[in-house]
């Protein structure tokens, strides 16, 4: 069974005023893959200064990691009130270049056919970089890279992404607020406007919406009392791993929902 690839920055997170910790799509996707028992190659960046602190928790998950410097490390402050989250951007890393995708990233992903791209902000992966990453691969994208404005301060969302970003995307993962912002909802008609053949909208404790073959189906979840940080990333990684293993879209969402719920409860225990 071939590994899937995860490409994205590490971040330096402060949760509810606590000490800085490792975050970012690369880390939380790796947690999901480890829990699922699927091999993955994690391609990631952070600043040189933060490498010693942020990289070891990722490496300890036991998946192959390919790291390069990206300056500075993206940083967030996150505050939760139940499922409600306030997020502030404290630092923004440089974009991934198409030359990265065609150089060291391509070498790191040799033999990988399914890749999830995990941007933290809109500037992380320009359209030409997405196109380069998608060459010869099936590519999944986190919708944070469409909606999140690259600006320091309280996180801003707006719908003004470059539609070229989606040209080479096979699977799009959106949070509920992102779907509302970008297309005004998550029924067949609204999601079809994005032009992506397969879309999953995560709804927190209410489960997810799967759009595939022009139809929408709701996948319920069992509410769990747990820290939700990284749940969407873990869900996206497990969903892609299931799809790469020939699960149907709905079956993949069901498996990802169950596994991520268990993963979050295990972390809270």
């Amino acid at each position: 069974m071939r590994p899937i690839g995860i490409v994205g920055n590490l971040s330096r997170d402060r949760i509810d005023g606590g000490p800085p910790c490792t975050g970012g799509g690369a880390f939380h996707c790796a947690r999901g893959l480890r829990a699922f028992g699927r091999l993955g190659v994690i391609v990631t960046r952070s600043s040189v200064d933060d490498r010693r602190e942020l990289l070891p928790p990722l490496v300890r998950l036991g998946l192959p990691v390919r790291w390069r410097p990206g300056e500075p490390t993206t940083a967030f402050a996150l505050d939760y009130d139940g499922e409600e989250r306030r997020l502030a951007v404290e630092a923004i890393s440089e974009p991934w270049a198409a030359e990265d995708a065609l150089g060291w990233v391509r070498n790191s992903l040799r033999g990988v056919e399914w890749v999830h791209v995990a941007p933290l902000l809109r500037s992380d992966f320009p359209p030409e970089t997405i196109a380069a990453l998608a060459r010869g691969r099936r590519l999944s994208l986190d919708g944070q890279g469409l909606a999140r404005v690259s600006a320091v301060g309280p996180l801003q969302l707006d719908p003004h992404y470059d539609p070229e970003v989606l040209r080479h995307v096979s699977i799009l993962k959106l949070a509920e607020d992102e779907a509302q912002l970008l297309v005004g909802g998550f029924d067949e008609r609204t999601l079809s406007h994005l032009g992506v053949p397969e879309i999953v909208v995560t709804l927190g404790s209410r489960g997810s919406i799967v759009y595939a073959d022009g139809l929408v189906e709701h996948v319920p979840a069992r509410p769990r009392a747990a820290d939700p940080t990284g749940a969407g990333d873990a869900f996206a990684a497990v969903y892609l791993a299931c799809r790469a293993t020939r699960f149907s879209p709905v079956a993949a969402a069901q498996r990802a929902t169950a596994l991520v719920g268990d993963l979050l409860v295990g972390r809270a225990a």
Side-chain angles (χ1 to χ4, degrees):
M1 185 181 298
R2 292 186 176 183
I4 70 168
I6 304 295
V7 183
N9 288 324
L10 294 175
S11 65
R12 186 179 181 88
D13 291 355
R14 294 187 299 109
I15 300 173
D16 291 331
C21 61
T22 302
F27 176 63
H28 294 297
C29 285
R31 293 179 59 243
L33 290 180
R34 182 189 182 188
F36 185 54
R38 178 66 185 261
L39 181 61
V41 178
I42 314 301
V43 181
T44 192
R45 307 183 315 177
S46 70
S47 74
V48 173
D49 289 344
D50 286 330
R51 179 183 182 182
R52 181 173 295 180
E53 180 178 0
L54 299 184
L55 198 59
L58 173 60
V59 172
R60 283 196 292 269
L61 293 174
L63 301 176
V65 175
R66 307 291 183 263
W67 176 91
R68 290 290 187 279
E71 302 293 339
T73 300
T74 300
F76 295 104
L78 304 91
D79 292 288
Y80 286 98
D81 182 7
E83 290 192 36
E84 295 295 320
R85 179 174 70 178
R86 295 183 302 278
L87 192 152
V89 182
E90 298 185 327
I92 301 171
S93 188
E94 61 192 316
W96 292 66
E99 291 78 7
D100 294 327
L102 295 172
W104 72 274
V105 176
R106 181 179 181 181
N107 292 334
S108 300
L109 296 176
R110 196 174 303 278
V112 171
E113 297 177 348
W114 297 68
V115 174
H116 177 65
V117 179
L120 298 172
L121 297 165
R122 185 180 291 160
S123 60
D124 282 1
F125 293 94
E128 60 272 16
T129 305
I130 294 291
L133 289 168
R135 290 186 185 180
R137 304 185 184 97
R138 190 162 186 185
L139 190 143
S140 165
L141 178 70
D142 194 306
Q144 292 178 167
L146 305 180
R148 286 184 171 186
V149 177
S150 300
V152 172
L155 180 67
Q156 304 172 53
L157 304 179
D158 75 37
H160 306 305
Y161 69 93
D162 186 340
E164 283 296 311
V165 170
L166 295 180
R167 180 181 293 274
H168 301 282
V169 173
S170 299
I171 301 172
L172 178 64
K173 199 285 291 183
L174 296 171
E176 182 176 6
D177 58 346
E178 294 161 355
Q180 293 286 1
L181 175 75
L182 297 175
V183 290
F186 34 82
D187 58 24
E188 290 91 343
R189 180 183 60 83
T190 55
L191 291 176
S192 68
H193 292 163
L194 291 166
V196 178
E198 189 172 326
I199 301 171
V200 184
V201 182
T202 54
L203 308 174
S205 62
R206 291 180 288 120
S208 62
I209 295 289
V210 178
Y211 169 81
D213 299 320
L215 300 174
V216 158
E217 185 165 342
H218 176 233
V219 175
R222 183 156 55 95
R224 308 290 187 102
D227 174 5
T229 304
D233 295 306
F235 179 98
V238 175
Y239 181 88
L240 187 66
C242 288
R243 293 292 285 122
T245 319
R246 300 182 182 274
F247 282 59
S248 71
V250 169
Q254 291 170 335
R255 185 71 181 97
T257 296
L259 189 143
V260 171
D262 292 342
L263 179 67
L264 295 179
V265 169
R267 180 172 63 186

